Amino acid sequence: MRKEMLLWASALLLFSGCSKSNLAEKSVNPLTKKMTGSTTLLSGTGDVVGKITVGYQGWFGCAGDNSPYNSWTHQNLECWPDVRQYTTTYAGDKFNQAGVQQAAFNGNLGNGQPAKMFSSYDQSTVNVHFLWMQQNGIDCAALQRFGGALNTDARDKGFRDGMATRVQNAAQTYGRKFYIMYDISGWTNFQTEMKTDWTSFMSAHTTSSAYAKQNGKPVVCIWGIGFANRPGNVTSWSDVINWFKSQGCYVIVGAPGNFSTDTANQAAYNLADMLMPWRVGATTNFQTMDANDLTYCNAHNIDYQTDIYPGTAFYNSNASRPKNEIPRVHGDFMWSQFAGAKNANVSSVYISMFDEMNEATSILNCAEDASSIPAGNYFLTLDADGTHVSSDFYLRLVNDGGKMIKGQIAYTASHPTPHVLTPPASLTPHVLSSSSIQINWSQVADAPVYNIKRATVSGGPYTTVAAGVTGGTYTNTGLTANTTYYYVISAGYINGGESTNSGQVSGKTNP
């Protein structure tokens, strides 16, 4: 099985050119026994220690987005995004699904709405993503930076450099942190080129108030050290780690899942300020692996950050793989990793990934069912295992998982996150005058705001008259006398997911 996984990982890497889908060598037990171990942080809580970090690809380009490519890039999607909350979206003529099994396409979603995509290069897109991070307790984003494309195509360098600026802007706006995560693959000579890229371009971002610092040092991650299908060896990897440390950086090393037993490469691993194992592809024994990794890191005075992912699949780009390779099981699979980490006393978490729709590890809002993917095309939907969940479910799950890791909610072996947001109940209309009606309702615990919708015909269609309302009451003014109005309310987030509508109530204004 290990050999098969590694062979698949190599194949995926060759196909994508800049993918991190090398599957972990090891791998969700029932998690019934809490392991012992120190909860003391080797480093104090900072921007990455004791925090929830997400990997952020930021590589989706669209025709017409005015990016250096200004065309469809990284559109070999396994999941389709839910774009209802974006202010700017793009339609394909046709969507260029380069390298996937299905032909390029355009047209409508299953529900008849136009099929549209977001561009990562659009600042409004990054703003939405970082707003979702803020709303869901995600502290930090690791912006991916791949050497292969930077070396061979000036358009890609322009795109990637532009993404660093956009991420910095959004992180500053929404009070999040970010840092640069270098993937060691694809560089012609990573020992020199990665250093030049840092000193000439990326280090300038460390002056931002949003750039992540740990122990007073700017954070940099070097991912891929110790992997057989990445370039380098212990000597060259050690050189790069030591160089970044000499620049005053706090260095995270992204390593294979077996780093604690990989004696051949431990001389490089042991130079890290923080170690993070890659777990995408692992399916069992998370608690044991975390406990072993944490013990190793504590013994070597290294901070530890575990890796948690929702599930994965790569069928659209490789039809020899199953359509739902490692199922999400409506959140149970991901929660088992949070529970294992909590039981092993892990305090720092990396989520793989925020927006990686190419390999179905994304936690951002994606299509719930066939009604919200392009008609006549295959994409992995969130109801693939037969349970309907809202498009923002995995963001809310990560929010709850992060709270459990941080001790803000009690440990639970089963996730507490509702699959769909609960609509408000007990709506009560109060006619106040000939021009105003007050609506009261019972608040729900799983959403902070409410959207009030109104119609003049029973059953709608409804128009949203107020969004982002807090509390349990709203007064609708400016109404027409002697007129019946019908109201429903949904619960949700500002510019985020929302519940289904509540039951309808009505009131007739005074003459």
Side-chain angles (χ1 to χ4, degrees):
M1 183 62 179
R2 178 177 181 272
K3 181 178 180 181
E4 179 187 358
M5 283 187 169
L6 290 175
L7 288 173
W8 177 33
S10 300
L12 294 184
L13 180 64
L14 289 172
F15 171 80
S16 64
C18 50
S19 166
K20 282 185 180 163
S21 273
N22 11 355
L23 299 184
E25 288 86 346
K26 292 185 183 178
S27 309
V28 171
N29 27 355
L31 304 175
T32 56
K33 182 178 180 181
K34 184 164 184 172
M35 294 194 172
T36 59
S38 173
T39 58
T40 301
L41 304 181
L42 296 174
S43 296
T45 300
D47 290 343
V48 290
V49 172
K51 297 298 173 67
I52 307 301
T53 300
V54 290
Y56 192 74
Q57 300 286 23
W59 61 15
F60 302 102
C62 297
D65 65 3
N66 294 317
S67 70
Y69 278 109
N70 201 34
S71 61
W72 304 103
T73 57
H74 276 281
Q75 296 295 324
N76 57 315
L77 306 180
E78 190 74 15
C79 298
W80 187 264
D82 175 357
V83 299
R84 289 175 293 179
Q85 307 302 327
Y86 298 87
T87 58
T88 305
T89 52
Y90 302 83
D93 184 28
K94 297 180 174 184
F95 283 109
N96 180 13
Q97 294 282 97
V100 302
Q101 306 304 311
Q102 56 200 23
F105 63 91
N106 57 12
N108 294 333
L109 304 176
N111 60 16
Q113 296 296 312
K116 293 187 176 182
M117 176 63 186
F118 66 77
S119 168
S120 298
Y121 201 77
D122 194 309
Q123 183 69 63
S124 67
T125 294
V126 188
N127 289 349
V128 167
H129 291 168
F130 275 74
L131 171 60
W132 289 346
M133 293 180 202
Q134 180 193 65
Q135 291 171 334
N136 292 283
I138 295 167
D139 303 295
C140 186
L143 177 62
Q144 314 296 287
R145 195 160 174 87
F146 299 92
L150 292 173
N151 280 334
T152 58
D153 195 323
R155 295 176 302 171
D156 195 84
K157 186 180 187 311
F159 195 106
R160 299 285 181 178
D161 290 352
M163 285 307 305
T165 298
R166 285 155 176 76
V167 165
Q168 175 177 305
N169 293 340
Q172 291 174 169
T173 298
Y174 295 103
R176 304 299 91 187
K177 300 294 183 178
F178 79 101
Y179 62 84
I180 300 301
M181 175 181 268
Y182 283 108
D183 191 306
I184 207 164
S185 67
W187 305 84
T188 302
N189 183 341
F190 70 85
Q191 283 184 263
T192 57
E193 292 169 330
M194 198 177 290
K195 298 171 187 177
T196 299
D197 184 74
W198 177 253
T199 55
S200 300
F201 302 103
M202 292 298 101
S203 63
H205 292 282
T206 63
T207 61
S208 167
S209 60
Y211 196 90
K213 306 293 197 306
Q214 184 61 50
N215 304 342
K217 302 176 181 181
V219 177
V220 173
C221 180
I222 306 171
W223 192 94
I225 287 174
F227 287 88
N229 55 2
R230 262 28 182 205
N233 53 41
V234 170
T235 301
S236 56
W237 296 330
S238 298
D239 170 73
V240 170
I241 296 169
N242 281 326
W243 183 87
F244 274 98
K245 292 176 75 172
S246 75
Q247 301 301 299
C249 295
Y250 176 95
V251 179
I252 303 173
V253 165
N258 67 336
F259 72 79
S260 63
T261 59
D262 180 18
T263 56
N265 296 312
Q266 283 174 353
Y269 303 148
N270 293 347
L271 295 171
D273 294 300
M274 172 179 274
L275 274 169
M276 186 270 283
W278 187 245
R279 291 275 168 76
V280 175
T283 58
T284 58
N285 301 324
F286 293 113
Q287 181 173 317
T288 299
M289 289 191 295
D290 277 336
N292 291 339
D293 289 349
L294 185 57
T295 296
Y296 179 90
C297 287
N298 285 343
H300 292 84
N301 201 34
I302 300 169
D303 294 321
Y304 176 64
Q305 180 186 60
T306 193
D307 181 32
I308 292 175
Y309 75 109
T312 188
F314 208 44
Y315 170 81
N316 269 349
S317 298
N318 186 346
S320 67
R321 308 310 309 178
K323 283 187 173 181
N324 194 7
E325 178 89 2
I326 299 179
R328 296 185 176 215
V329 201
H330 44 274
D332 291 353
F333 176 66
M334 191 174 203
W335 191 261
S336 69
Q337 298 165 66
F338 275 112
K342 181 65 176 177
N343 279 344
N345 295 313
V346 171
S347 64
S348 308
V349 173
Y350 180 92
I351 303 294
S352 301
M353 306 277 290
F354 186 86
D355 57 342
E356 174 59 285
M357 296 177 291
N358 311 93
E359 297 166 10
T361 60
S362 49
I363 62 166
L364 86 172
N365 293 21
C366 282
E368 300 171 3
D369 52 41
S371 70
S372 46
I373 61 173
N377 293 271
Y378 171 77
F379 292 94
L380 182 65
T381 55
L382 297 184
D383 69 342
D385 61 6
T387 298
H388 183 84
V389 303
S390 65
S391 66
D392 69 336
F393 170 71
Y394 286 92
L395 288 171
R396 293 187 288 110
L397 185 78
V398 167
N399 192 9
D400 288 336
K403 289 177 179 177
M404 185 174 71
I405 292 292
K406 295 175 182 178
Q408 296 169 356
I409 62 174
Y411 167 81
T412 174
S414 301
H415 76 74
T417 313
H419 291 130
V420 295
L421 291 171
T422 306
S426 304
L427 272 66
T428 306
H430 299 282
V431 176
L432 302 181
S433 69
S434 62
S435 62
S436 63
I437 296 175
Q438 183 183 84
I439 308 295
N440 298 325
W441 60 89
S442 298
Q443 298 183 66
V444 294
D446 55 9
V449 299
Y450 303 90
N451 305 312
I452 291 82
K453 306 174 186 181
R454 185 188 69 204
T456 54
V457 178
S458 179
Y462 302 102
T463 299
T464 299
V465 295
V469 175
T470 58
T473 185
Y474 174 76
T475 300
N476 190 197
T477 60
L479 304 177
T480 302
N482 201 34
T483 302
T484 299
Y485 292 93
Y486 302 88
Y487 294 92
V488 294
I489 302 178
S490 64
Y493 295 86
I494 300 171
N495 201 33
E498 66 174 321
S499 69
T500 56
N501 290 332
S502 67
Q504 177 184 274
V505 296
S506 65
K508 186 175 181 180
T509 54
N510 295 331

